[in-house]
């Protein structure tokens, strides 16, 4: 979804047009004096206060530079060779910085269509957020754009386009922001990126979206979920995709599930020694698939969620929705062990190998018993003291009702698709509560740009800090955020197809 770009902060108005590219819609929101409402103005991405907040962030005085070139090309997934779009490799390059560094990244667009880069999870300045026609003009083919911002918080993040369903190609990479004060009590670090893959296998993501939109008459109502419309391999299949943890498990049965860009028959390998400690940074870059992740013969100690520290908790496996990240610690055993990312509620999995001694490579179909053990979810997490949000009075509450229909493939927030949205108004300095109410039989990983929020616990207190949280079918998740990063911020389902089909809105700062 996109709208024409008008960067004039004095006007604070963006004209609305049709849904095209996963951007944003702010039509008619500049001045609300009409209809008898009090006069308010948008805080636009180029408003002076955005620069004021940026300059107030902690700066190390160090600048990290990088370059990204988005191009079409052929990629080897470890046997299957596909034509796709990528930043040269799948995943793209890992960018590293320290908290407080200035990050300067030059994007060159060699694609046949506009693109952007969104810095997922980073509380950055609004005009660098990468949402076309909301925070920047889309980057046209054969042009470039410079992203220039401070990275304020340490953690595991990633970057990807925010145009249409480009995320479901190979256009993503990881951004690691180090904490200079962290003790680093581990021997290895391993960045592990999970993905579901269909591009170049007979369909493009745009063709998949068109097929979903054309699949009318399925009998699904306004609160319907997916009930067996498999898309992997090119046709409409009969696979029933449901999860005991999430409910409806996705809309697409993908032909491949990848770990670090490889199919299970050609896995990547981490090599270490028995007894060593490994920090694994897990990123779910998939578009339609949650993953249940386990390492055979090992337990996981989960230490960070969406970049922020938690009280370490031990489990056998962890559930990751699209857009979520966790850091886990492994104490390596002796042998060759599979890291398996099982596509939750679907058929298939990704795999990598952890090797500390000789032994055969685990088979691609291996299923560690840990996958059926204690599965860690957001309900098991408690924020570590530095990440805890102080208890405070809630100044403003918004209900965010998630709805949708498989008939015509339309997904909504508060009964509206994005091109007809009613933004969630906030003002600088407020404590804002969002009640995320899922009225569908599908799960939705809800992501808020430019902020972290605290998931409110059963006692009404702010809990674990995140920027993406799964809202399971017919469930409600309540989150609190502090409105301290002015601008216009996308709030949406991180199922790329649900978002593009309308399940997006705007957290809209006003004066």
């Amino acid at each position: 979804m996109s709208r024409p770009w008008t960067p004039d902060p004095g006007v604070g108005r963006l004209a609305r047009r049709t849904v095209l590219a996963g951007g944003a819609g702010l039509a008619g929101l500049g001045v609300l004096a009409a209809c008898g409402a009090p006069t308010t103005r948008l805080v636009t991405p180029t408003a002076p206060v955005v620069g004021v907040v940026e300059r107030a962030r902690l700066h190390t005085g160090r600048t990290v530079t990088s370059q990204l070139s988005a191009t079409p090309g052929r990629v080897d997934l470890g046997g299957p060779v596909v034509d796709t779009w990528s930043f040269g490799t799948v995943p793209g390059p890992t960018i590293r910085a320290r908290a407080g560094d200035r990050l300067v990244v030059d994007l060159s667009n060699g694609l046949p269509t506009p693109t952007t880069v969104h810095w997922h999870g980073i509380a950055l300045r609004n005009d660098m957020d990468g949402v076309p026609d909301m925070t920047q003009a889309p980057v046209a083919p054969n042009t470039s754009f410079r992203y220039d911002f401070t990275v304020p918080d340490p953690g595991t993040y990633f970057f990807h386009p925010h145009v249409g369903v480009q995320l479901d190609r190979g256009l993503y990479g990881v951004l690691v922001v180090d904490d200079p004060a962290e003790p680093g009590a581990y021997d290895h670090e391993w960045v592990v990126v999970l993905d579901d893959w269909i591009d170049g296998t007979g369909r493009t993501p745009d063709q998949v979206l068109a097929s979903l939109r054309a699949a009318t008459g399925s009998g699904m109502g306004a609160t319907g979920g997916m009930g067996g419309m498999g898309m992997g391999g090119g046709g409409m299949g009969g696979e029933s995709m449901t999860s005991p943890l999430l409910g409806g498990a996705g809309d697409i049965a993908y032909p491949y599930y990848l770990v670090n860009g490889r199919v299970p028959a050609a896995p990547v390998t981490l090599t270490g020694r028995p007894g060593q400690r490994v920090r694994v940074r897990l990123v779910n870059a998939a578009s339609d698939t949650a993953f249940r992740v386990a390492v055979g013969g090992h337990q996981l100690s989960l230490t960070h969620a969406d970049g922020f520290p938690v009280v370490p908790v031990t489990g056998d496996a962890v559930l990751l929705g699209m857009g979520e990240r966790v850091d886990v610690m492994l104490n390596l055993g002796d042998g060759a062990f599979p890291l398996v990312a099982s596509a939750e509620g679907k058929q298939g999995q990704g795999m990598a190998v952890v090797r500390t001694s000789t032994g055969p490579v685990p088979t691609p179909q291996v299923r560690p018993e840990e996958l059926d053990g204690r599965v860690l979810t957001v309900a098991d997490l408690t924020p570590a003291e530095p990440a805890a949000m102080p208890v405070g009075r809630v100044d403003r509450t918004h209900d965010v009702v998630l709805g949708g229909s498989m008939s015509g493939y339309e997904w909504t927030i508060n009964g509206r698709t994005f091109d007809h949205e009613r933004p969630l108004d906030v003002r600088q300095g407020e404590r804002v509560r969002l009640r995320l109410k899922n009225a569908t039989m599908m799960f939705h990983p809800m992501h808020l740009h430019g902020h972290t929020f605290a998931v409110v616990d059963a006692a009404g207190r702010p809990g674990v800090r995140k920027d993406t949280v799964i809202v399971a079918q017919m469930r409600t998740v309540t989150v609190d955020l502090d409105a301290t990063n002015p601008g216009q911020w996308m709030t949406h389902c991180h199922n790329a197809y649900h978002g593009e089909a309308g399940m997006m809105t705007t957290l809209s700062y006003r004066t």
Side-chain angles (χ1 to χ4, degrees):
M1 301 184 178
S2 64
R3 300 183 183 114
W5 171 246
T6 55
D8 180 2
V11 176
R13 181 187 294 269
L14 296 175
R16 183 185 306 277
R17 62 186 173 95
T18 57
V19 176
L20 291 176
L26 303 176
L29 304 180
V31 179
L32 300 184
C35 304
T39 300
T40 62
R41 283 192 172 272
L42 295 177
V43 178
T44 65
T46 54
V49 67
V50 172
V52 169
V53 171
E54 172 73 359
R55 289 188 294 274
R57 290 188 171 99
L58 173 68
H59 288 270
T60 63
R62 196 175 80 130
T63 298
V64 174
T65 62
S66 187
Q67 293 185 335
L68 295 173
S69 180
T71 57
R74 188 156 289 186
V75 173
D76 184 356
L77 304 179
V81 177
V82 296
D83 291 311
T84 189
W85 299 348
S86 73
F87 295 121
T89 59
V90 176
T94 296
I95 299 174
R96 279 200 104 99
R98 290 191 305 230
D101 284 351
R102 177 188 176 196
L103 182 60
V104 178
V105 181
D106 288 313
L107 169 67
S108 174
N109 184 12
L111 304 175
T113 189
T115 193
T116 64
V117 175
H118 166 59
W119 306 93
H120 183 108
I122 300 291
L124 77 175
R125 57 181 299 150
N126 191 219
D127 56 350
M128 295 289 116
D129 191 45
V131 178
D133 303 316
M134 175 182 277
T135 68
Q136 69 171 95
V139 185
N142 302 312
T143 65
S144 61
F145 184 86
R146 171 165 288 184
Y147 292 93
D148 185 342
F149 56 91
T150 302
V151 285
D153 301 306
T156 302
Y157 306 96
F158 79 118
F159 54 88
H160 60 81
H162 224 288
V163 175
V165 287
Q166 289 183 10
L167 172 61
D168 209 12
R169 298 180 187 257
L171 292 163
Y172 56 84
V174 175
L175 171 60
V176 175
V177 182
D178 291 310
D179 183 353
E182 191 174 64
Y186 47 89
D187 301 293
H188 299 283
E189 181 186 275
W190 194 18
V191 176
V192 174
V193 185
L194 316 175
D195 194 17
D196 45 17
W197 193 276
I198 199 167
D199 196 29
T201 65
R203 282 180 180 264
T204 67
D206 295 293
Q207 290 170 333
V208 171
L209 178 61
S211 295
L212 288 166
R213 284 174 163 161
T216 59
S218 63
M220 305 302 292
T223 58
M226 190 62 204
M229 291 173 57
M231 294 290 298
M236 306 298 286
E239 178 182 340
S240 177
M241 295 185 287
T242 59
S243 159
L245 297 177
L246 301 176
D251 300 351
I252 303 163
Y254 284 82
Y256 303 120
Y257 299 99
L258 310 180
V259 176
N260 285 355
R262 308 288 284 183
V263 296
V268 296
T269 300
L270 170 73
T271 302
R273 296 193 305 272
Q276 289 186 322
R277 284 170 58 81
V278 178
R279 180 179 187 166
V280 184
R281 297 179 182 267
L282 283 167
V283 178
N284 186 352
S287 291
D288 182 70
T289 306
F291 288 99
R292 189 184 301 205
V293 183
V295 179
H298 292 72
Q299 286 196 310
L300 311 176
S301 177
L302 197 157
T303 61
H304 295 73
D306 289 358
F308 283 81
V310 301
V311 176
V313 58
T314 299
D316 299 299
V318 61
L319 181 69
L320 277 179
M322 299 84 83
E324 291 189 299
R325 298 91 57 212
V326 296
D327 294 10
V328 299
M329 287 289 191
L330 293 178
N331 293 315
L332 296 184
D334 188 357
F337 306 97
L339 181 153
V340 172
S342 177
E344 180 68 17
K346 300 183 180 184
Q347 296 177 10
Q349 64 184 29
M351 190 186 79
V353 174
V354 178
R355 179 178 292 281
T356 63
S357 63
T358 59
V361 176
T363 64
Q365 295 80 26
V366 64
R367 182 176 176 85
E369 63 181 12
E370 287 80 5
L371 287 170
D372 300 313
R374 183 189 181 192
V375 181
L376 299 176
T377 69
V378 69
D380 299 299
L381 305 182
T382 302
E385 187 59 36
M389 178 183 286
V391 175
R393 185 190 69 186
V394 175
D395 301 298
R396 186 186 297 261
T397 298
H398 286 290
D399 286 333
V400 182
V401 180
L402 313 177
S405 173
M406 290 304 298
S407 179
Y409 203 71
E410 182 176 273
W411 298 94
T412 62
I413 290 180
N414 292 337
R416 294 169 176 263
T417 54
F418 186 46
D419 53 332
H420 297 290
E421 67 157 342
R422 285 181 178 166
L424 310 173
D425 295 344
V426 301
R427 285 178 171 78
Q428 180 80 3
E430 291 182 330
R431 171 71 60 89
V432 179
R433 174 162 290 181
L434 304 179
R435 290 192 293 242
L436 307 171
K437 301 180 176 182
N438 187 353
T440 80
M441 300 304 290
M442 181 64 65
F443 80 97
H444 302 289
M446 295 301 295
H447 174 53
L448 172 61
H449 288 209
H451 300 74
T452 59
F453 47 69
V455 179
V456 176
D457 65 19
R461 298 170 304 216
V464 63
R465 292 283 291 278
K466 290 181 62 62
D467 56 70
T468 308
V469 66
I470 293 174
V471 188
Q473 65 173 29
M474 306 303 291
R475 298 291 181 87
T476 296
V477 175
T478 300
V479 302
D480 286 351
L481 65 101
D482 287 328
T484 57
N485 198 16
Q488 302 298 311
W489 299 101
M490 179 70 75
T491 305
H492 66 101
C493 177
H494 219 272
N495 183 313
Y497 295 88
H498 292 181
E500 185 60 13
M503 192 174 277
M504 300 192 287
T505 191
T506 309
L507 187 81
S508 179
Y509 279 69
R510 297 178 178 279
T511 59

